[in-house]
Amino acid sequence: MADNISLIVGLGNPGPEYENTRHNAGFWLVETLARQNGIRLSPDRKFHGLVGKGRIGQQECWLLMPSTFMNRSGLAVQALASFYRLTPANILVVHDELDLPPGTARFKTGGGHGGQNGLRDIISQLGNNKDFHRLRIGIGHPGDKNLVTGHVLGKASVADDKVIRAAIDEACAVLPEALKGNMGAAMNRLHSFKG
C-alpha cells in the first residue's frame, strides 16, 4: 500500500444537540466533502460510524465519521484501518483546533494529541502510532482554560461560523492535491488562505 491518503476521518460528537457545535468541525468537513463528491455516508456497525467510499479528484478514498463520542473515536478508525490494511500514513484525521483562529486550517503530520481527546484515543488505538496526517480546523481559544469545554461544545458566532466554513471549503478544494501525494502544494495553498 502506497503512502497516499485513502481514509479521511472527521471527528465530532453524534446527535442533534452537538451538530452545530465547534467540536464537530471535523464532521462538517467530511459532510461537505461527501456532498461535493456525491459520496453517500451510511451507518456501518462494523466500523462504528458513518462510512462512504468514492472518488475525490483522481483518488478513491474512504470517508468516516465515528458514531462513538469524540473520546472513543479510535475504535472506528482502528476497525476500518485494520479491515482494509491501511497504515497511519494512509489516514487523514480532521479535527477542531483551539490554537488556530477561526477561518484558518492547517495540515500537519504526526505529533502529539495536544489535549484533543479524539486524537488521544486514535493514537492509543493505533498502537501509540502518531504518524497519521491531521487537518486542523481553527475554532479559536476562549482565552481561559476553564472556558474551553463550554467553548468547544458551544455554537460559533455567526461571523465565526462563516469563516470556519470558508476554511472548510478551501480545505476541501485542496484535498485532491493532498490525496495525490502533493501534500506540499496542498499545504502552500491552504496555509496562505485567509478566511
Side-chain angles (χ1 to χ4, degrees):
M1 169 72 67
D3 279 351
N4 281 10
I5 293 165
S6 44
L7 167 61
I8 299 175
V9 184
L11 299 189
N13 283 311
E17 68 272 37
Y18 295 106
E19 215 169 288
N20 295 311
T21 62
R22 293 178 181 90
H23 219 19
N24 277 29
F27 276 8
W28 301 350
L29 183 133
V30 166
E31 288 163 345
T32 303
L33 211 47
R35 194 170 55 247
Q36 289 176 350
N37 294 279
I39 299 171
R40 191 161 158 266
L41 297 169
S42 310
D44 191 323
R45 287 172 58 187
K46 178 172 71 225
F47 299 134
H48 312 281
L50 294 172
V51 180
K53 187 178 189 190
R55 192 168 278 281
I56 296 170
Q58 297 162 10
Q59 301 296 125
E60 285 279 311
C61 190
W62 288 99
L63 298 181
L64 171 64
M65 288 167 50
S67 54
T68 56
F69 279 91
M70 178 73 80
N71 61 354
R72 296 292 291 123
S73 301
L75 198 63
V77 177
Q78 197 279 332
L80 196 144
S82 136
F83 189 84
Y84 290 109
R85 296 191 173 89
L86 305 179
T87 68
N90 302 135
I91 301 170
L92 173 70
V93 177
V94 187
H95 65 91
D96 58 302
E97 176 59 72
L98 284 162
D99 295 332
L100 290 175
T104 54
R106 297 282 183 270
F107 286 110
K108 178 182 176 184
T109 300
H113 55 71
Q116 216 282 358
N117 289 329
L119 292 180
R120 181 185 278 126
D121 194 55
I122 291 167
I123 290 167
S124 162
Q125 291 280 347
L126 293 177
N128 283 325
N129 192 318
K130 302 171 183 172
D131 296 335
F132 52 90
H133 305 282
R134 298 102 189 272
L135 176 52
R136 303 150 65 218
I137 308 293
I139 60 165
H141 197 288
D144 181 330
K145 67 179 191 325
N146 298 318
L147 301 175
V148 163
T149 301
H151 181 73
V152 298
L153 295 178
K155 293 183 180 180
S157 67
V158 172
D160 279 1
D161 186 80
K162 189 176 174 189
V163 294
I164 290 169
R165 292 186 190 268
I168 285 173
D169 285 343
E170 182 70 6
C172 289
V174 306
L175 272 169
E177 281 298 317
L179 293 179
K180 271 196 314 198
N182 296 343
M183 188 58 93
M187 271 186 180
N188 286 344
R189 179 172 157 188
L190 184 62
H191 295 192
S192 60
F193 176 74
K194 301 278 184 285

